[in-house]
């Protein structure tokens, strides 16, 4: 039992905007004052800022792709922050591709308490869960890659929508995932032929009628029909390519009326015809996005410095490799998807990188409704998650932001609109884009708010005028009612939960899947679904039919 | 005959109470090594040819000294060459031209910088390397890059950059003698003594100038230099020539010396005055422009002391 | 001069990167005794393993069988480090200046990714001398490593500049992915010398097996070797260069890259 007294509370989901309120916690939940006995520990949060724990709606922290990346950049591991084994704190490495235990310590140390692993191939989902199992202090969800899955594509080509829905449902449960992820629909499939899918309405390589648009529409429909708590989570076609804003807007048209979450929107808001003419088209993307109220998005903002790009978008990564001429890793996941890894450095002197840096911030500033656009860097693609406070600082301080713009090359400044934007985020808006909004989008009703019944995931910041600094060093972080971080130090290690979804599924679909599987996979069917015993503290969500 | 002359100090030449006026220049030192002293000399002679005066040749160059194998960077026989010009950029270009045409082309040579401590540097090997047509390679040793340019005979090794330092050009002596033979004997002796000093070169043929000049001309417009009529014996007596020659002087020869610093030029001039003090030499003097053009003045009386 | 003597051979490797002039010179003896070292995963005090005497300064002597003591001299920029005994892995890794003398053997990763200074091992060294650590694009960037005895695999792997001289035999992959610099193999090497070599010079004073992607160019006496020989002579190493004694056979490669490196194999006259 725990009391947090006298803090200035920001709980936008419940309409609390900077009120001095007390919070009461028992059995891992926020409770009414009456439920607390006298002997409860009290945190005096007078003068401090109290927010619901952060929710990262799109990050890459666990699984085959991430581990492949760790192996590709051992020099990064050598330079990474070291976590020494101490008491119940396990050893680990920080850096751009943190190891499992360190991932938990780093997120919690920043005040984030829920993370969504954004890309899981069914075939290696077991690996993802084993790593999520070892990430302490945060709750997790994970999204299952579906948009290049050949079973699904074959069914969409055959026009068998209902069977496709059952297959998707079966696959999501087999992977013990929480939702559907679509990456470069059709493009990763085409990459198996050395090609890509750049046009939404053109049939993809190896197929006669299936187009990226059909995949997008198909999966969005399935997600809606299955009543998944989180809508289809979409990494649009033509990521990273100058002029791709048009594809993004077209994709929004395809999604008309459907729920959808657009991932790392920054990478999809470029104008220009080529690398020399590339510019920001955040305004047009923001406008089209605002006009489609069933959509949410996360920023995928870029920060200058080192990064490691990890994505299922194989063909894009091959292009990036050719641009950088350095290391490249490429994995094929049979019948399902692929992945590409390219270490990358974003430089402020580089025209393209400068535009990318601006676009992320522009989207966050131009999209008025903070309930629809969330703070991410597509970690570790755009920058490391533990640098989120830098972005918050720039969102809250227009002058500081303008100073950063002034340091960009003259040519870059002509390609962006960031200097013209005056908006400054309020603390309440920050609480929305970092917690309340993503929690709502993920359909996690006990996350992202501080009302009675919520999970007691609470971050308490010391109040200070320099907001960037504020968000870097929470004074206290409470996870499920336990004080896990105090003054930047992990005090207690608790295990998180993993939310998984079990959508409605006709069991007989297995009779369809099994023979097909045994024909084309190198694994035996009995080994394919992930056993629930492998997950630590699973909480199964069954969507209401 | 000579010995009896030397017994009599009164017959030693007069040292004029005047000064040589010399100029600020930039200098570089090139060390050329080769398989034999002969080939190093061949390269050096070619490199320092047609380099008597910056006015007409854009550079003044000469052989400074023969070097012992122990003194050269690669332990082979060699010699050092000094080059003088008015600015570093010009000097650099002359180095590229001359090393490229005369040292690179000469069998078994290698070419090194002789002013390693000079702060100002010009690219020599750094530009000559292109002759290698991308087949060249380099090695970095002790903070210096050396280019290895593939050539038909093997490899030409040349240092990437050469040092350039402030230097002095135009130090001089005028030998006023009774006749041509006496002037020549004194000039030859002076030349041999002066070039033995390290840090200097005598840019003119044999070190001696028979045609000392004055700035501009009296009767031709646009002439940069013309014969120094005040010192021409056949023009003595004319109404329109103010001769500087005493009555008993019938031939004058000049020695010009360029040097890396004042000390080297002083040592060289001193050696020259001594060696030129031979029978038949009436006076040893020096040329200047009233002290208005060059800032380095070498007073003969101070040197002779 | 500071003197450290190992009192007790550690049961598992001891990580002691505090043993460098940069770390030790400014400290008092008491502070030195209290410096952290890592025995496996446990943090201990330097004094738990070493007797500390003398006066802290730029000159340090370490005595004992240090074969299990790792990271001695790490990233040092100055001073003199003398080791009387064997030294463990990663000796003088990332060194920038100063000198290291080992009167004994050294382990793997000697002078890895160093950029300056001089290391001299009187005994043998392990593998990956002056090499890049896994994943890093470049190994040694400058400096000199002299090994009187033998060395192991991947000597000078991905080195960019600097000089490595090994008096004794060397194992496979010397000069792997070399980018520049010079390796001198006093007693030759085993297999695949210069594999994936991009630039640089490998000089072998004895015949060595060569990859088929290296082509014979010429037999000659390169002038630049005279400069090297003189430099190495100041460090006590003899490099033959005189045509009266012999010549070098030049092989260019590795054509698989394609690289512009060279392997020079000494061929004595007569």
């Amino acid at each position: 039992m725990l009391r947090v007294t006298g803090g200035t509370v920001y709980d936008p989901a419940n309409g609390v905007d900077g009120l001095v309120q007390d919070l009461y916690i028992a059995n891992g939940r926020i409770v009414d004052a009456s439920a607390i006995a006298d002997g409860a520990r009290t945190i005096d949060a007078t003068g401090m800022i109290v927010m619901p724990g952060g929710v990262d709606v799109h990050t890459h922290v666990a699984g085959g792709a991430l581990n492949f990346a760790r192996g590709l950049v051992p020099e990064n591991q050598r330079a990474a922050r070291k976590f020494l084994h101490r008491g119940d704190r396990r050893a680990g490495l920080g850096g751009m591709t943190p190891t499992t235990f360190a991932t938990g310590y780093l997120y919690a140390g920043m005040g984030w308490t829920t993370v969504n692993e954004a890309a899981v191939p069914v075939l290696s989902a077991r690996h993802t869960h084993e790593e999520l199992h070892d990430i302490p202090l945060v709750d997790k969800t994970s999204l299952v890659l579906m948009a290049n899955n050949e079973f699904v594509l074959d069914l969409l080509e055959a026009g068998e929508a209902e069977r496709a829905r059952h297959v998707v449902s079966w696959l999501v449960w087999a992977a013990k995932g929480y939702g559907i992820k679509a990456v470069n629909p059709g493009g990763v499939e085409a990459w198996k032929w050395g090609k890509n899918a750049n046009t939404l309405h053109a049939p993809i390589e190896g197929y006669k009628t299936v187009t990226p648009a059909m995949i997008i529409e198909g999966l969005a429909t399935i997600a809606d029909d299955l009543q998944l708590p989180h809508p289809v989570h979409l990494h649009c076609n033509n990521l990273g390519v100058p002029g791709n804003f048009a594809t993004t807007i077209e994709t929004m048209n395809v999604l008309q009326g459907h729920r959808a979450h657009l991932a790392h929107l920054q990478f999809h808001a470029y104008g220009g015809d080529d690398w020399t003419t590339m510019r920001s088209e955040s305004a047009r993307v923001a406008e089209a996005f605002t006009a489609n109220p069933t959509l949410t998005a996360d920023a995928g903002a870029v920060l200058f410095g080192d990064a490691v790009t990890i994505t299922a978008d194989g063909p894009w990564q091959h292009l990036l490799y050719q641009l950088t001429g350095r290391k490249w890793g490429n994995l094929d996941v049979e019948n399902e998807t692929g992945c590409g890894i390219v270490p990358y450095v974003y430089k402020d002197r580089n025209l393209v990188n400068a535009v990318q840096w601006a676009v992320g911030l522009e989207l966050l500033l131009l999209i008025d409704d903070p309930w629809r656009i969330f703070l991410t860097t597509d970690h570790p693609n755009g920058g490391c998650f533990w640098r989120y406070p830098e972005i918050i600082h720039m969102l809250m301080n227009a002058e500081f932001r303008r100073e950063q713009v002034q340091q960009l090359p003259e040519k870059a400044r002509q390609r962006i609109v960031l200097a013209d934007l005056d908006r400054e985020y309020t603390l309440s808006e920050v609480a929305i884009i970092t917690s309340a909004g993503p929690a709502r989008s993920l359909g996690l009703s006990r996350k992202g708010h501080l009302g009675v019944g919520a999970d007691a995931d609470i971050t308490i910041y010391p109040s200070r005028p320099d907001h960037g600094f504020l968000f870097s060093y929470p004074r206290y972080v409470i996870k499920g009612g336990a004080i896990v971080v105090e003054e930047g130090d992990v005090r207690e290690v608790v295990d998180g939960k993993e939310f998984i979804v079990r959508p409605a599924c006709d069991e007989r679909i297995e009779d369809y899947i099994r023979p097909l599987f045994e024909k084309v996979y190198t694994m035996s069917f009995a080994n394919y679904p992930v056993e629930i015993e492998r997950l630590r503290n699973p909480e199964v969500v069954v969507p209401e039919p | 005959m000579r010995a009896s002359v030397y017994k009599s100090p009164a017959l030693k030449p007069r040292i004029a109470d005047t000064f040589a006026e010399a100029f600020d220049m930039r200098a570089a030192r090139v060390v050329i090594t080769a398989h034999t002293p002969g080939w190093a000399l061949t390269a050096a002679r070619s490199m320092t040819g047609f380099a008597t005066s910056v006015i007409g040749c854009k550079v003044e160059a000469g052989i400074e000294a023969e070097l012992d194998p122990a003194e050269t960077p690669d332990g082979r026989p060699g010699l050092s060459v000094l080059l003088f010009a008015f600015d570093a950029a010009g000097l650099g270009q002359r180095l590229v031209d001359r090393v490229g045409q005369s040292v690179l082309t000469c069998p078994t040579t290698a070419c090194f910088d002789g002013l390693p401590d000079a702060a100002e540097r010009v690219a020599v090997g750094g530009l000559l390397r292109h002759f290698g047509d991308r087949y060249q390679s380099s090695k970095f040793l002790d903070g210096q890059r050396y280019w290895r340019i593939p050539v038909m005979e093997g490899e030409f090794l040349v240092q990437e950059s050469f040092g350039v330092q402030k230097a002095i050009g135009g130090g001089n002596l005028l030998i006023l003698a009774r006749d041509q033979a006496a002037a020549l004997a004194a000039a030859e002796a002076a030349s041999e003594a002066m070039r033995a000093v390290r840090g200097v070169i005598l840019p003119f043929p044999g070190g001696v100038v028979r045609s000392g000049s004055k700035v501009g001309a009296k009767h031709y417009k646009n002439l940069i230099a013309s014969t120094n009529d005040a010192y021409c014996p056949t023009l003595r007596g004319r109404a329109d020539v103010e001769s500087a020659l005493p009555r008993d002087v019938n031939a004058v020869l000049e020695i010009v010396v360029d040097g890396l610093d004042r000390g080297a030029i002083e040592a060289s001039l001193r050696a020259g005055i001594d060696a030129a003090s031979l029978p038949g030499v009436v006076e040893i003097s020096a040329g200047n422009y009233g002290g208005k053009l060059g800032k380095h003045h070498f007073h003969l009386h101070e040197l002779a002391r | 001069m500071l003197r450290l003597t190992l009192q007790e051979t550690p049961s598992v490797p001891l990580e002691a990167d505090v043993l460098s002039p940069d770390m030790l010179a400014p400290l008092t003896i008491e502070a030195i005794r209290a410096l952290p070292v890592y025995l496996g995963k446990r943090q201990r005090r330097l004094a738990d393993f070493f007797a500390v005497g003398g006066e802290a300064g730029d000159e340090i002597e370490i005595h004992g069988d240090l074969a299990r003591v790792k990271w001695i001299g790490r990233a040092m920029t100055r001073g003199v480090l003398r080791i009387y005994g064997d030294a463990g892995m990663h000796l003088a890794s990332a060194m920038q200046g100063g000198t290291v003398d080992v009167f004994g053997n050294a382990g793997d990763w000697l002078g890895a990714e160093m950029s300056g200074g001089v290391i001299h091992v009187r005994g043998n060294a392990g593998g990956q001398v002056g090499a890049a650590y896994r994943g890093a694009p470049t190994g040694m960037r400058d400096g000199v490593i002299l090994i009187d005895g033998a060395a192991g695999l991947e000597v000078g792997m991905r080195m960019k500049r600097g000089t490595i001289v090994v008096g004794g035999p060397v194992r496979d992959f010397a000069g792997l992915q070399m980018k520049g610099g010079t390796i001198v193999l006093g007693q030759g090497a085993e297999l695949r010398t210069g594999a994936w070599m991009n630039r640089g010079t490998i000089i072998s004073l004895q015949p060595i097996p060569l990859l088929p992607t290296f082509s014979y160019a010429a037999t000659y006496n390169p002038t630049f070797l005279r400069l090297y020989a003189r430099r190495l002579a100041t460090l006590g190493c003899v490099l033959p260069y005189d045509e009266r004694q012999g010549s070098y056979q030049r092989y260019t490669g590795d054509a698989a890259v394609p690289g512009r490196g060279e392997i020079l194999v000494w061929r004595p006259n007569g």
Side-chain angles (χ1 to χ4, degrees), chain B residues 35 69-70 72-76 134 136 139-140 142 145-146 148 155 157, chain C residues 161 181-182 200-201 220 222-224 226-228 230-231 243 250 260 262:
Chain B
H35 189 61
T72 60
D74 61 1
R76 299 189 306 162
R134 276 200 157 213
Q136 71 272 16
K139 294 306 280 187
F140 214 84
D142 287 332
R145 190 185 292 278
Y146 299 84
R148 298 163 55 189
E155 279 176 5
L157 185 67
Chain C
R161 195 179 278 179
T182 309
T201 306
Y220 75 134
T223 312
F224 88 92
R226 295 168 158 270
L227 301 183
Y228 253 89
R230 176 173 282 189
R231 178 73 176 92
E243 58 269 12
R250 183 176 202 250
R260 304 206 265 149
E262 64 184 351

Side-chain angles (χ1 to χ4, degrees), chain C residues 177-260:
Chain C
Q177 290 180 292
M178 205 168 165
K179 296 174 162 188
T182 309
I183 300 176
V184 179
L185 305 171
Q187 288 186 42
E190 292 180 32
L191 299 179
R192 302 192 180 97
T193 302
W196 281 344
M197 186 179 194
N198 198 351
R199 282 181 200 200
T201 306
I202 299 176
I203 300 167
S204 181
L205 302 185
Q206 287 188 3
I208 49 169
L210 290 170
L211 288 166
T213 44
F214 275 83
S215 325
Y216 172 71
T219 301
Y220 75 134
N221 292 70
T223 312
F224 88 92
L225 276 188
R226 295 168 158 270
L227 301 183
Y228 253 89
R230 176 173 282 189
R231 178 73 176 92
L232 289 176
T234 65
L235 296 164
C237 297
V238 175
L239 185 68
Y241 58 83
D242 200 311
E243 58 269 12
R244 289 168 293 188
Q245 294 170 331
S247 303
Y248 283 93
Q249 287 177 316
R250 183 176 202 250
Y251 294 86
T252 52
D254 182 350
V257 175
R260 304 206 265 149

Side-chain angles (χ1 to χ4, degrees), chain A residues 164-179:
Chain A
R165 188 179 81 241
H166 290 299
V167 166
V168 169
S169 176
W170 188 93
L171 287 170
V172 169
W173 177 245
K176 298 300 177 293
Y178 187 74

Side-chain angles (χ1 to χ4, degrees), chain C residues 107-143:
Chain C
D108 296 333
W109 301 103
L110 174 70
E113 298 186 5
M114 73 188 279
S115 57
V118 177
I119 304 172
H120 188 174
V121 173
R122 304 312 195 268
N124 305 322
Q128 289 83 29
V129 174
Y133 286 113
R134 303 312 186 193
T138 306
M140 180 174 183
R141 285 173 193 274
D142 211 340

